[in-house]
Amino acid sequence: MIPPNLILFGLFALVCGAVLLFLMKKRLNARQASTSIRHLREPGAGQQIIFEHARTAYVLVDTEFQVVTFNHRAASFTKAIFGKELIEDTYAMDYFPEERKQPVKDMLTKAFSGIESGYETEYVNDEGHAMWYDVKIYSTSTSEKTAGAIIAVRDITEKKSMELQRESMTAELIQHNRNLEQFAYIVSHNLRAPLANIIGLAEVLSMPELSDDQTQDFINGITTSSRKLDEVIIDLDHILHFRNSDYEKKVEVNLDQLLENIQAVLRDVINASSIRILSDFNEVPCVYGIKSYMHSIFYNLVSNSIKYKQEDKELVIEIKSRKSKEGTELTFKDNGLGIDLNRAGDKIFGLYKRFHPDIEGKGMGLFMTKTQVEKLGGRISVESTPGEGATFKIQLL
Amino acid sequence: MTRTVTRFILVDDDPIHLKLSTFQIGSLSKSISICSFLQAEKALDHIRSIYDKEANTQGITIIMLNINMDGLSGWDFLEVYETFRKDWRDRIDLFFVSASIDPNDMKKAHSNPNVKDYLIKPLNRSDFINLIGNISIK
């Protein structure tokens, strides 16, 4: 039999234990909560953290176009793009560059009545990098009384640069494909032309009414056409072989030395007529490239200038190198015949394209020059006024 | 109404082709006059000069025009030709002649009302017989 006071004591102890446990647990909970972020579940607290840490910049603007509030990212974007401190209760339009003010204002006005709009834009940031932003402007509320607008700005530079890279790659591929089509067309035409002559000449040679002179004439025609055909095949072999040759190493090419070599090769031609070659390679004395390509580019451009000089005028060729945005720019300027680019257009660099029918030539030089410049990762362009001369510009990386 | 071919104007920057065509036409008819030009500009000048003089002459002129030429191409020639008076063009049949078997060229030529047909080199004797005897191909 257990005495009743013992039962009482036992009960008392149990109650005390429970109370103690309850108190301890409560303290423990409180301590845990202070080291976690659960308190952010309380109204407003968590949203504030998310808002402040968002990768997207948010600016809230009221119907008077005043800045109501903004997050941390918005402040840093404003600093980086516009070089301004973003401050509450200021006129939002003041932050934008002149040409953007009206369009943004219009979009905000539209947003106040519930219409969302947006645009993508490019800015140069304070470090001089081009940055792309996606801007969305939309309403905060459907009720007229509380109407305001949110300007949300997202940095899309990485996505955009990949997009631009993809676009330029596509454009390059399209151009490459066009070149190949052009090449196939030329092959078909320039191989068939002499062949057609040989077939035609063979047919008339079997006709009975031919005189001896005519027979000889047509046989000569066959010889000429066969040679022409062979020449085209050799050219094609040359081009195809060249296109597949990547074995040559890039080296430092001294431009003064290169030009000296070219002048030595062309000495007889240069001495025969009045030609002056002026060069200035002080800004960029050397370029990094494949030596034989550089030689061929210089040779073709200089000999072209000589070939298409004005008969009664001293030819002056000015060759310069200078630093450019992309690397090095070489210019070849002459005061020769020039070329009507409205007519010639981009065909000027085409294979077997010729624009001065009276002057001997094959239509290979500028085609090879362009191919070689592109092989070196560069670009070539031309400006010209007929009768005044031509300027070729080469951009090398 | 029968149409009689009285003249050929050959425009091609390939002298061998011109020589061959001249021989082929000459061997078929002694009465047809043949003018050949290595440059399109000169052929256009020639057409202007003859049609100015002989406003009312009968007979058909056949122009055989190469497409792929240095300087003015066949297409460039055609652009100028299209500006010529209609009564001149009514007495001219213009043919494109090319070694190219490029379908784009052919399509473009066939869709032009001023081009009678697109002839592919080499042209043989029967091609010329067709041209002289049966000019209304279209």
Short mmCIF file of all heavy atoms in Angstrom, two decimals, chain A residues 185 188-189 192, chain B residues 67-68 75 78 95-121 138:
data_model
loop_
_atom_site.label_atom_id
_atom_site.label_comp_id
_atom_site.label_asym_id
_atom_site.label_seq_id
_atom_site.Cartn_x
_atom_site.Cartn_y
_atom_site.Cartn_z
N TYR A 185 29.32 28.04 -109.45
CA TYR A 185 28.80 28.67 -110.66
C TYR A 185 29.95 29.01 -111.61
O TYR A 185 29.89 28.74 -112.80
CB TYR A 185 28.05 29.94 -110.26
CG TYR A 185 27.63 30.81 -111.42
CD1 TYR A 185 26.45 30.53 -112.11
CD2 TYR A 185 28.40 31.89 -111.82
CE1 TYR A 185 26.06 31.33 -113.17
CE2 TYR A 185 28.01 32.68 -112.89
CZ TYR A 185 26.85 32.41 -113.56
OH TYR A 185 26.46 33.18 -114.61
N SER A 188 31.42 25.99 -113.18
CA SER A 188 30.59 25.48 -114.26
C SER A 188 30.74 26.34 -115.51
O SER A 188 30.90 25.83 -116.61
CB SER A 188 29.14 25.39 -113.79
OG SER A 188 28.28 26.11 -114.62
N HIS A 189 30.74 27.67 -115.31
CA HIS A 189 30.82 28.54 -116.48
C HIS A 189 32.20 28.53 -117.12
O HIS A 189 32.34 28.35 -118.33
CB HIS A 189 30.43 29.97 -116.12
CG HIS A 189 30.55 30.91 -117.27
ND1 HIS A 189 31.69 31.65 -117.50
CD2 HIS A 189 29.71 31.18 -118.30
CE1 HIS A 189 31.53 32.35 -118.61
NE2 HIS A 189 30.32 32.08 -119.10
N ARG A 192 33.11 25.27 -118.75
CA ARG A 192 32.30 24.92 -119.92
C ARG A 192 32.59 25.81 -121.12
O ARG A 192 32.49 25.35 -122.26
CB ARG A 192 30.81 24.99 -119.57
CG ARG A 192 30.32 23.76 -118.81
CD ARG A 192 28.83 23.53 -119.02
NE ARG A 192 28.55 22.73 -120.18
CZ ARG A 192 27.98 23.17 -121.28
NH1 ARG A 192 27.60 24.42 -121.36
NH2 ARG A 192 27.75 22.37 -122.30
N ILE B 67 25.92 36.14 -121.54
CA ILE B 67 25.56 36.70 -120.22
C ILE B 67 26.80 37.13 -119.46
O ILE B 67 26.92 38.24 -118.97
CB ILE B 67 24.79 35.65 -119.39
CG1 ILE B 67 23.53 35.22 -120.13
CG2 ILE B 67 24.45 36.23 -118.02
CD1 ILE B 67 22.78 34.11 -119.44
N ASN B 68 27.76 36.20 -119.40
CA ASN B 68 28.90 36.37 -118.51
C ASN B 68 30.05 37.06 -119.22
O ASN B 68 30.93 36.42 -119.77
CB ASN B 68 29.34 34.98 -118.08
CG ASN B 68 29.56 34.94 -116.59
OD1 ASN B 68 30.31 35.76 -116.05
ND2 ASN B 68 28.88 34.02 -115.94
N TRP B 75 23.22 40.90 -118.62
CA TRP B 75 22.11 41.48 -117.86
C TRP B 75 22.15 43.00 -117.94
O TRP B 75 21.12 43.65 -118.04
CB TRP B 75 22.18 41.04 -116.39
CG TRP B 75 21.98 39.56 -116.21
CD1 TRP B 75 22.92 38.66 -115.82
CD2 TRP B 75 20.79 38.82 -116.46
NE1 TRP B 75 22.38 37.39 -115.79
CE2 TRP B 75 21.08 37.46 -116.19
CE3 TRP B 75 19.51 39.16 -116.90
CZ2 TRP B 75 20.13 36.44 -116.32
CZ3 TRP B 75 18.57 38.15 -117.03
CH2 TRP B 75 18.88 36.81 -116.75
N LEU B 78 20.88 44.04 -121.23
CA LEU B 78 19.43 43.90 -121.27
C LEU B 78 18.74 45.11 -120.64
O LEU B 78 17.72 45.58 -121.13
CB LEU B 78 19.03 42.61 -120.54
CG LEU B 78 17.59 42.14 -120.75
CD1 LEU B 78 17.34 41.81 -122.22
CD2 LEU B 78 17.28 40.93 -119.88
N PHE B 95 18.36 36.70 -127.95
CA PHE B 95 18.62 35.39 -127.33
C PHE B 95 19.81 35.50 -126.38
O PHE B 95 20.80 36.16 -126.69
CB PHE B 95 18.95 34.34 -128.40
CG PHE B 95 17.78 33.96 -129.25
CD1 PHE B 95 17.44 34.72 -130.38
CD2 PHE B 95 17.00 32.85 -128.94
CE1 PHE B 95 16.36 34.38 -131.16
CE2 PHE B 95 15.90 32.50 -129.73
CZ PHE B 95 15.59 33.27 -130.85
N PHE B 96 19.68 34.86 -125.24
CA PHE B 96 20.84 34.74 -124.35
C PHE B 96 21.64 33.51 -124.75
O PHE B 96 21.08 32.46 -125.07
CB PHE B 96 20.36 34.57 -122.90
CG PHE B 96 20.31 35.85 -122.13
CD1 PHE B 96 20.64 37.06 -122.72
CD2 PHE B 96 19.95 35.86 -120.79
CE1 PHE B 96 20.60 38.25 -122.01
CE2 PHE B 96 19.90 37.04 -120.07
CZ PHE B 96 20.23 38.23 -120.67
N VAL B 97 22.93 33.66 -124.75
CA VAL B 97 23.80 32.54 -125.07
C VAL B 97 24.81 32.42 -123.94
O VAL B 97 25.44 33.40 -123.55
CB VAL B 97 24.56 32.77 -126.39
CG1 VAL B 97 25.43 31.56 -126.73
CG2 VAL B 97 23.60 33.07 -127.51
N SER B 98 24.94 31.22 -123.39
CA SER B 98 25.88 31.07 -122.28
C SER B 98 26.42 29.66 -122.19
O SER B 98 25.75 28.70 -122.59
CB SER B 98 25.19 31.44 -120.97
OG SER B 98 26.08 31.25 -119.90
N ALA B 99 27.63 29.56 -121.65
CA ALA B 99 28.17 28.23 -121.36
C ALA B 99 27.68 27.76 -120.01
O ALA B 99 27.82 26.61 -119.65
CB ALA B 99 29.69 28.28 -121.37
N SER B 100 27.08 28.69 -119.27
CA SER B 100 26.62 28.34 -117.93
C SER B 100 25.35 27.52 -117.97
O SER B 100 24.42 27.83 -118.70
CB SER B 100 26.38 29.62 -117.13
OG SER B 100 25.54 29.37 -116.04
N ILE B 101 25.32 26.47 -117.18
CA ILE B 101 24.10 25.67 -117.08
C ILE B 101 23.44 25.94 -115.74
O ILE B 101 22.77 25.10 -115.16
CB ILE B 101 24.40 24.16 -117.27
CG1 ILE B 101 25.66 23.78 -116.51
CG2 ILE B 101 24.53 23.82 -118.73
CD1 ILE B 101 26.02 22.31 -116.61
N ASP B 102 23.66 27.15 -115.25
CA ASP B 102 23.10 27.53 -113.95
C ASP B 102 21.60 27.74 -114.05
O ASP B 102 21.12 28.56 -114.83
CB ASP B 102 23.77 28.83 -113.49
CG ASP B 102 23.25 29.27 -112.14
OD1 ASP B 102 23.55 28.57 -111.16
OD2 ASP B 102 22.55 30.29 -112.07
N PRO B 103 20.81 26.97 -113.29
CA PRO B 103 19.35 27.07 -113.41
C PRO B 103 18.80 28.46 -113.03
O PRO B 103 17.78 28.87 -113.57
CB PRO B 103 18.83 26.01 -112.44
CG PRO B 103 19.98 25.58 -111.61
CD PRO B 103 21.24 25.95 -112.32
N ASN B 104 19.50 29.16 -112.14
CA ASN B 104 19.02 30.50 -111.77
C ASN B 104 19.07 31.46 -112.95
O ASN B 104 18.15 32.23 -113.17
CB ASN B 104 19.87 31.07 -110.62
CG ASN B 104 19.61 30.34 -109.32
OD1 ASN B 104 18.51 29.83 -109.11
ND2 ASN B 104 20.63 30.26 -108.50
N ASP B 105 20.19 31.40 -113.69
CA ASP B 105 20.32 32.23 -114.88
C ASP B 105 19.20 31.92 -115.88
O ASP B 105 18.59 32.81 -116.45
CB ASP B 105 21.68 31.97 -115.56
CG ASP B 105 22.75 32.94 -115.05
OD1 ASP B 105 22.38 33.88 -114.32
OD2 ASP B 105 23.92 32.74 -115.40
N MET B 106 18.96 30.61 -116.06
CA MET B 106 17.95 30.20 -117.04
C MET B 106 16.57 30.69 -116.63
O MET B 106 15.82 31.22 -117.45
CB MET B 106 17.92 28.67 -117.14
CG MET B 106 19.14 28.10 -117.82
SD MET B 106 18.93 26.32 -118.01
CE MET B 106 20.62 25.80 -117.90
N LYS B 107 16.27 30.52 -115.35
CA LYS B 107 14.96 30.93 -114.85
C LYS B 107 14.77 32.44 -115.03
O LYS B 107 13.73 32.91 -115.50
CB LYS B 107 14.84 30.56 -113.36
CG LYS B 107 13.46 30.05 -113.01
CD LYS B 107 13.46 29.19 -111.76
CE LYS B 107 13.25 30.00 -110.51
NZ LYS B 107 13.50 29.23 -109.28
N LYS B 108 15.82 33.17 -114.67
CA LYS B 108 15.75 34.62 -114.75
C LYS B 108 15.57 35.06 -116.21
O LYS B 108 14.79 35.97 -116.50
CB LYS B 108 17.05 35.19 -114.18
CG LYS B 108 16.96 36.63 -113.72
CD LYS B 108 18.17 37.00 -112.87
CE LYS B 108 18.56 38.45 -113.08
NZ LYS B 108 19.93 38.72 -112.67
N ALA B 109 16.28 34.39 -117.10
CA ALA B 109 16.19 34.74 -118.51
C ALA B 109 14.80 34.42 -119.06
O ALA B 109 14.21 35.22 -119.78
CB ALA B 109 17.25 33.99 -119.30
N HIS B 110 14.30 33.25 -118.70
CA HIS B 110 13.00 32.84 -119.24
C HIS B 110 11.86 33.71 -118.75
O HIS B 110 10.83 33.83 -119.41
CB HIS B 110 12.73 31.37 -118.88
CG HIS B 110 13.44 30.42 -119.81
ND1 HIS B 110 14.19 29.37 -119.34
CD2 HIS B 110 13.55 30.40 -121.16
CE1 HIS B 110 14.71 28.73 -120.38
NE2 HIS B 110 14.34 29.34 -121.49
N SER B 111 12.05 34.32 -117.58
CA SER B 111 10.96 35.14 -117.04
C SER B 111 11.00 36.56 -117.60
O SER B 111 10.13 37.37 -117.30
CB SER B 111 11.03 35.17 -115.52
OG SER B 111 12.19 35.85 -115.11
N ASN B 112 12.01 36.87 -118.41
CA ASN B 112 12.09 38.21 -118.97
C ASN B 112 11.45 38.24 -120.35
O ASN B 112 11.86 37.50 -121.25
CB ASN B 112 13.57 38.64 -119.06
CG ASN B 112 13.70 40.10 -119.42
OD1 ASN B 112 13.13 40.56 -120.40
ND2 ASN B 112 14.44 40.83 -118.60
N PRO B 113 10.44 39.09 -120.55
CA PRO B 113 9.71 39.10 -121.82
C PRO B 113 10.57 39.53 -123.01
O PRO B 113 10.23 39.24 -124.16
CB PRO B 113 8.58 40.10 -121.58
CG PRO B 113 9.04 40.95 -120.43
CD PRO B 113 9.90 40.07 -119.59
N ASN B 114 11.68 40.21 -122.73
CA ASN B 114 12.55 40.66 -123.82
C ASN B 114 13.54 39.60 -124.26
O ASN B 114 14.26 39.79 -125.23
CB ASN B 114 13.30 41.92 -123.41
CG ASN B 114 12.42 43.15 -123.51
OD1 ASN B 114 11.88 43.45 -124.57
ND2 ASN B 114 12.25 43.84 -122.40
N VAL B 115 13.61 38.49 -123.53
CA VAL B 115 14.53 37.42 -123.91
C VAL B 115 13.72 36.29 -124.53
O VAL B 115 12.84 35.72 -123.91
CB VAL B 115 15.30 36.90 -122.67
CG1 VAL B 115 16.26 35.79 -123.09
CG2 VAL B 115 16.06 38.04 -121.99
N LYS B 116 14.03 36.00 -125.83
CA LYS B 116 13.29 34.97 -126.55
C LYS B 116 13.56 33.59 -125.99
O LYS B 116 12.68 32.78 -125.81
CB LYS B 116 13.69 34.98 -128.04
CG LYS B 116 12.89 35.95 -128.85
CD LYS B 116 11.69 35.26 -129.49
CE LYS B 116 10.71 36.33 -129.99
NZ LYS B 116 9.46 35.75 -130.43
N ASP B 117 14.86 33.34 -125.72
CA ASP B 117 15.23 32.01 -125.23
C ASP B 117 16.64 32.05 -124.67
O ASP B 117 17.37 33.02 -124.88
CB ASP B 117 15.14 30.96 -126.37
CG ASP B 117 14.91 29.55 -125.82
OD1 ASP B 117 14.88 29.40 -124.58
OD2 ASP B 117 14.77 28.62 -126.63
N TYR B 118 16.97 30.97 -124.00
CA TYR B 118 18.28 30.85 -123.37
C TYR B 118 18.99 29.69 -124.07
O TYR B 118 18.53 28.54 -124.00
CB TYR B 118 18.08 30.55 -121.89
CG TYR B 118 19.33 30.45 -121.06
CD1 TYR B 118 19.73 31.51 -120.24
CD2 TYR B 118 20.11 29.29 -121.05
CE1 TYR B 118 20.86 31.42 -119.45
CE2 TYR B 118 21.24 29.20 -120.25
CZ TYR B 118 21.61 30.27 -119.45
OH TYR B 118 22.72 30.18 -118.66
N LEU B 119 20.04 29.98 -124.79
CA LEU B 119 20.73 28.94 -125.56
C LEU B 119 22.04 28.57 -124.85
O LEU B 119 22.78 29.46 -124.42
CB LEU B 119 21.03 29.42 -126.97
CG LEU B 119 19.84 29.97 -127.77
CD1 LEU B 119 20.30 30.56 -129.09
CD2 LEU B 119 18.79 28.88 -128.00
N ILE B 120 22.27 27.28 -124.73
CA ILE B 120 23.47 26.83 -124.04
C ILE B 120 24.55 26.45 -125.04
O ILE B 120 24.31 25.69 -125.99
CB ILE B 120 23.14 25.63 -123.12
CG1 ILE B 120 22.15 26.08 -122.03
CG2 ILE B 120 24.40 25.06 -122.48
CD1 ILE B 120 21.55 24.95 -121.26
N LYS B 121 25.74 27.01 -124.84
CA LYS B 121 26.89 26.65 -125.68
C LYS B 121 27.28 25.20 -125.39
O LYS B 121 27.15 24.76 -124.25
CB LYS B 121 28.08 27.55 -125.36
CG LYS B 121 27.92 29.01 -125.75
CD LYS B 121 29.21 29.73 -125.36
CE LYS B 121 29.06 31.23 -125.52
NZ LYS B 121 30.25 31.95 -125.07
N LYS B 138 9.07 31.39 -128.95
CA LYS B 138 8.10 31.65 -127.88
C LYS B 138 6.75 31.96 -128.46
O LYS B 138 6.65 32.76 -129.38
CB LYS B 138 8.56 32.83 -127.03
CG LYS B 138 9.12 32.36 -125.70
CD LYS B 138 9.19 33.55 -124.76
CE LYS B 138 10.29 33.35 -123.76
NZ LYS B 138 10.58 34.55 -123.02
#
